[in-house]
Structure formats: C-alpha cells, structure tokens
C-alpha cells in the first residue's frame, strides 16, 4: 500500500505534535515534513513529492490563503486541508 506523504504546517508545536501522533497511528499516512513557517514548507513542497498538506491559515510569515493560492499554481494536484481557529 502506498502511503499518503503528508506535510504539516502550523506555528503551534502542540498542534503539529498532536497531528503527527494522530496520523502516525494510521498506516495510510507518512509524515514527510513539518514546519512552523510557510516559506520553509513551500521550499520543501516545490522540491519533493507530497500528497497532502495540512495548513494552518494563520502563520507568522505568510497568510495561509497566500500559501494556498501559490501552491495551487505550482502543484495543482496537491491536496490541502486548511486548519483555522477562526469561526
């Protein structure tokens, strides 16, 4: 079975660790990267095979919406799940 190569981008370590623990318990997922800044995640995703991005909408260096729009242009097949604490 091919695993879903997943990158987590959130500036809160508690969220990243929780997602890693949750997804790590599932055979289908492989966490290939975790980042607290958008720029680092974009650099990794541009140069590597990634199936799923879990993206915080509020990041310290760039809006998650801007990241989403940028990645849709350069990696159109990438699946993105956006997380938000906003109502």
């Amino acid at each position: 079975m091919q695993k879903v190569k997943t990158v987590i981008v959130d500036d809160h370590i508690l969220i990243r660790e929780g997602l890693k623990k949750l997804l790590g318990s599932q055979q289908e997922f492989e966490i290939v990267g975790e980042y607290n800044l958008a720029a680092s995640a974009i650099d990794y995703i541009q140069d590597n095979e990634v199936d799923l991005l879990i993206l915080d909408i509020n990041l310290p260096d760039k809006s998650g919406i801007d990241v989403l729009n940028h990645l849709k242009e350069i990696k159109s097949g990438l699946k993105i799940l956006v997380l938000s604490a906003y109502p």
Side-chain angles (χ1 to χ4, degrees):
M1 168 175 57
Q2 184 175 344
K3 294 190 175 197
V4 178
K5 294 180 180 179
T6 305
V7 170
I8 300 169
V9 184
D10 197 296
D11 57 326
H12 296 94
I13 192 165
L14 184 62
I15 301 297
R16 290 195 316 270
E17 290 298 321
L19 287 169
K20 282 192 328 187
K21 186 165 182 68
L22 178 69
L23 295 175
S25 68
Q26 304 297 312
Q27 293 182 23
E28 299 92 333
F29 294 94
E30 176 185 3
I31 306 302
V32 295
E34 65 170 287
Y35 301 93
N36 63 341
L37 297 175
S40 302
I42 290 169
D43 288 344
Y44 180 85
I45 291 167
Q46 285 179 1
D47 297 332
N48 294 279
E49 184 180 333
V50 176
D51 302 310
L52 173 65
L53 170 63
I54 301 176
L55 176 65
D56 184 7
I57 200 76
N58 187 23
L59 296 167
D61 65 332
K62 194 170 192 172
S63 161
I65 298 295
D66 292 338
V67 173
L68 176 68
N69 289 329
H70 178 72
L71 289 175
K72 284 177 66 177
E73 289 179 15
I74 62 171
K75 291 268 184 165
S76 62
L78 177 64
K79 305 292 187 239
I80 301 174
L81 174 64
V82 176
L83 298 179
S84 173
Y86 297 114

